[in-house]
Amino acid sequence: MHLNHTEGSLHCQQPSRILIVDVTSASWTNTCSVLSEALENTLCLACSLTGPCRIPLLSLYVVQNQQECLLPFTQVKENFARIQACISELRSLPREGCFPQGGNGVVQAVQDGLQQFKQYSRHTAAGGSTNSAIEVRKRW
């Protein structure tokens, strides 16, 4: 899902992103290290590239028995230490199916993330900075 809050945004502006990781899945044991490494590599690159950032803001939620925001909306560029700490926390989550499956944790995480984005947008708009779009995609 891609939401634009203002249609007149510049072509070069990229939407903010919310990453929601569901660790209740039985496959979490197999995907934890691969996902963590891929995130670390991708975000390390995003943090260090010159020019416009392809991922201006990132928020990361984990769905366990309830959703938890590991990383509130953060500017990606030049924030690798904070992002790396979040990825370390993701890596440290239990991998043995400790969390019950089911519930609507993913839906709650999306709703919470959207609310967080609205609050962030209002706060930054008051300061003159505008980042007007957010992107949420479901991947299996």
Side-chain angles (χ1 to χ4, degrees):
M1 173 181 4
H2 177 79
L3 301 173
N4 278 320
H5 291 283
T6 59
E7 295 300 323
S9 61
L10 298 173
H11 177 67
C12 64
Q13 264 189 330
Q14 295 294 316
S16 301
R17 300 216 168 52
I18 299 173
L19 176 62
I20 300 171
V21 179
D22 186 353
V23 301
T24 63
S25 163
S27 64
W28 177 244
T29 299
N30 300 322
T31 59
C32 174
S33 60
V34 173
L35 175 66
S36 299
E37 185 175 345
L39 276 173
E40 188 168 33
N41 291 338
T42 302
L43 294 172
C44 176
L45 186 62
C47 289
S48 60
L49 286 175
T50 58
C53 189
R54 300 287 296 176
I55 308 170
L57 291 172
L58 176 69
S59 181
L60 183 107
Y61 280 81
V62 172
V63 175
Q64 301 170 19
N65 50 354
Q66 62 183 21
Q67 88 278 2
E68 178 185 356
C69 183
L70 292 185
L71 183 71
F73 275 107
T74 301
Q75 290 187 6
V76 171
K77 206 158 192 118
E78 299 175 6
N79 261 332
F80 187 62
R82 184 171 182 195
I83 291 169
Q84 194 172 32
C86 175
I87 293 170
S88 292
E89 192 172 344
L90 184 65
R91 275 191 178 107
S92 71
L93 291 173
R95 299 184 191 184
E96 300 302 321
C98 296
F99 303 111
Q101 216 171 355
N104 59 354
V106 172
V107 172
Q108 290 174 343
V110 169
Q111 290 172 341
D112 189 51
L114 291 173
Q115 182 63 33
Q116 183 191 116
F117 178 73
K118 287 176 187 175
Q119 290 172 345
Y120 182 90
S121 295
R122 280 194 295 267
H123 176 72
T124 56
S129 173
T130 58
N131 190 350
S132 59
I134 188 169
E135 183 173 78
V136 180
R137 292 185 182 177
K138 186 176 182 181
R139 301 262 195 236
W140 297 113

